[in-house]
Amino acid sequence: MSLLFNVAQFLKSDVGEKRTYDFGSDDDLDLGDVTASDIGGHVKFLLTNYEVVAKGHAHALLHESCARCLEPFARLVEVAFEEEYLPMVDIDTGLPTSGPPNDMAFPISSNHTIDLTEALRQDLLLAVELVPLCNDECKGLCPSCGVNRNRERCACSAEQTYGPFAALGGLLSATQSERQH
């Protein structure tokens, strides 16, 4: 299976014609810091006066790094999509099309092929978590020694405070000590 669909015969059909396909890809999809693999799903194409509307569902494994412990992990996501595809070349004449412009639509290639890759990349990118966690109970890394707290305990003091106001906390405790004397 592939993410490419030859729609030459479909474009010669009557307006309102529908076709349904399953798709899949063995190739990974680069989403920046995340990679999507095992992409699959189904799509329904609807022919309108000027374009093809692709509506479907996709699933993929997103390979991410945990924001707390920095360990790689994978999670299954599902996305629904609906995209418009405009032909660049008239199927009957072979000349460039003169339909209404649509900056939001994806192009149908000059050899009458719809490629779902970019549409799926954009929709899967929206499924990436802003702060990905391997699990909700992730303990993260120790801020002092860097040990992964999910795998082992460290000997660092639990009372150490970190953050932008840690230095002010030290000043406060020094002031309180002076008052007691």
Side-chain angles (χ1 to χ4, degrees):
M1 286 192 276
S2 171
L3 300 177
L4 299 173
F5 299 90
N6 187 317
V7 291
Q9 292 302 315
F10 183 61
L11 291 172
K12 293 179 182 180
S13 302
D14 295 330
V15 171
E17 182 73 25
K18 297 176 185 173
R19 300 236 173 112
T20 303
Y21 300 98
D22 289 329
F23 62 84
S25 176
D26 294 330
D27 296 332
D28 290 349
L29 199 54
D30 183 16
L31 306 175
D33 293 338
V34 177
T35 303
S37 68
D38 300 325
I39 301 166
H42 63 275
V43 62
K44 181 188 291 186
F45 293 133
L46 169 67
L47 184 63
T48 69
N49 289 347
Y50 300 107
E51 62 193 8
V52 174
V53 176
K55 185 176 183 177
H57 287 80
H59 56 84
L61 273 178
L62 295 186
H63 301 273
E64 303 171 285
S65 293
C66 180
R68 289 184 188 159
C69 68
L70 306 179
E71 292 292 322
F73 71 99
R75 69 181 173 95
L76 182 65
V77 295
E78 294 189 20
V79 294
F81 62 92
E82 184 170 343
E83 304 293 346
E84 299 172 355
Y85 287 84
L86 282 175
M88 298 289 100
V89 175
D90 185 275
I91 190 74
D92 295 321
T93 65
L95 298 174
T97 57
S98 59
N102 184 347
D103 293 337
M104 300 301 290
F106 292 96
I108 297 176
S109 71
S110 59
N111 61 353
H112 312 295
T113 302
I114 289 179
D115 186 353
L116 294 179
T117 305
E118 180 57 21
L120 287 176
R121 188 191 71 76
Q122 291 179 17
D123 285 309
L124 288 170
L125 194 56
L126 293 173
V128 173
E129 296 287 334
L130 291 176
V131 181
L133 298 177
C134 58
N135 66 62
D136 291 336
E137 307 303 319
C138 180
K139 297 175 185 171
L141 301 176
C142 173
S144 295
C145 66
V147 74
N148 185 339
R149 292 178 178 172
N150 297 313
R151 287 196 229 140
E152 58 185 281
R153 296 183 70 124
C154 65
C156 297
S157 171
E159 291 191 24
Q160 293 177 348
T161 56
Y162 297 94
F165 301 109
L168 294 176
L171 291 174
L172 182 62
S173 61
T175 305
Q176 289 175 349
S177 303
E178 290 174 4
R179 286 184 185 170
Q180 290 175 355
H181 286 50

